[in-house]
Amino acid sequence: MSGNGTTAGDDPLQTAVWRLRSRACWTDAAALLPSDTAAFTLQRAGLMVERCLYTERGWEEAEDALRTAEAVARTDEERGAAACERGQLAYAATLHGVRDRADEARAALGRAAALIPPGASGRALLDFRRGLLAENLTRSPQAARAAYRRAHAAATAHADPLLLSFTWRHLAGLALRDGELAEARHGFAESLRIREELGYLVGTAPALASLADTESEPEASRLREEAGRLFRLLGGVPTWLARQLTPPSPGAATA
């Protein structure tokens, strides 16, 4: 799921949804959305899928929301967006060891690629998620890097800073695996800067922890302590961050 946070031009509903989402209150955010359009049902499904990825809970609620979104989708782009969320949910279930749905994830993202035209705003998120699949399930860093770079370019073109924070983060993670410390530090710092500017609290702790992996002491400990404080403030979300805080091992898979 993407979205560029809160700006002066945002409508009150989307501002309220963003504030709840950014504080790990996905269910509350989804409850604010009406059910009268395909766009809102897709947004609700995206929120519930994101909740699964960050908390490892809510799988049935996400499936229900996704089935509704798939049922009301009418255009190719709407069907493609629903398929993209289907692929992300299957990816999350596989990543967290709930059930191996890797084949379903690949098929769904492939279906999305056939439906979402090149240049459409949804293509950036699709490319990013294909990168996640390549990096964490297929174990193909070269394919992941190519997908992240496409997503990064498209997110720049469509002015989607939140997605840029993710592409910076994952490109930096690949750089760190390759021993490119300066490149990794720059990417993680950019990801953190964007998330702090947007007020994306649930994503700030992971960004701090990742940047800590590239710093020497005492800065590394300071960043990790701040990440731990935010992690506890949000009730242990994202769940997978606990492994990275004690202490991290470079190259560990993240969402």
Side-chain angles (χ1 to χ4, degrees):
M1 189 175 182
S2 183
N4 50 16
T6 57
T7 67
D10 283 346
D11 67 73
L13 172 61
Q14 291 301 328
T15 297
V17 169
W18 167 256
R19 287 175 176 167
L20 288 166
R21 175 194 174 194
S22 66
R23 289 158 176 76
C25 300
W26 294 280
T27 303
D28 292 339
L32 295 179
L33 295 169
S35 55
D36 55 349
T37 69
F40 284 132
T41 58
L42 280 166
Q43 187 178 5
R44 183 181 296 106
L47 287 166
M48 302 314 291
V49 170
E50 187 172 80
R51 177 194 178 203
C52 292
L53 186 64
Y54 277 73
T55 69
E56 303 180 55
R57 294 185 288 108
W59 302 98
E60 286 303 317
E61 293 94 331
E63 287 284 356
D64 289 344
L66 189 49
R67 280 192 289 267
T68 300
E70 289 167 338
V72 303
R74 293 292 179 266
T75 68
D76 280 351
E77 283 200 51
E78 289 169 353
R79 294 185 187 97
C84 190
E85 294 301 338
R86 170 67 63 189
Q88 182 72 350
L89 183 61
Y91 162 78
T94 306
L95 185 73
H96 288 313
V98 177
R99 183 158 59 89
D100 185 352
R101 298 172 61 180
D103 289 343
E104 180 187 351
R106 292 187 193 94
L109 294 184
R111 188 162 63 253
L115 290 166
I116 301 173
S121 59
R123 196 79 186 196
L125 181 60
L126 171 61
D127 280 332
F128 173 69
R129 288 175 171 177
R130 296 178 95 176
L132 292 177
L133 208 69
E135 180 181 2
N136 294 322
L137 300 190
T138 309
R139 306 297 180 189
S140 176
Q142 187 173 1
R145 183 177 290 106
Y148 292 149
R149 284 176 174 166
R150 290 194 303 272
H152 191 85
T156 301
H158 289 283
D160 187 343
L162 182 60
L163 183 55
L164 276 174
S165 82
F166 281 93
T167 56
W168 273 122
R169 171 172 161 75
H170 283 268
L171 285 167
L174 292 177
L176 185 60
R177 291 184 184 189
D178 291 341
E180 300 292 341
L181 191 62
E183 182 181 344
R185 183 183 296 115
H186 174 70
F188 287 139
E190 283 297 297
S191 178
L192 175 60
R193 177 187 63 79
I194 292 170
R195 291 178 180 195
E196 288 181 334
E197 288 178 356
L198 293 176
Y200 188 52
L201 192 62
V202 73
T204 300
L208 286 163
S210 291
L211 184 58
D213 292 355
T214 68
E215 297 286 358
S216 55
E217 296 297 347
E219 181 65 7
S221 290
R222 186 193 70 78
L223 290 167
R224 203 163 285 123
E225 286 168 7
E226 178 64 10
R229 186 186 70 80
L230 289 173
F231 177 71
R232 292 187 295 273
L233 179 68
L234 292 173
V237 177
T239 53
W240 42 262
L241 186 59
R243 297 187 295 274
Q244 195 174 354
L245 290 173
T246 56
S249 57
T254 63

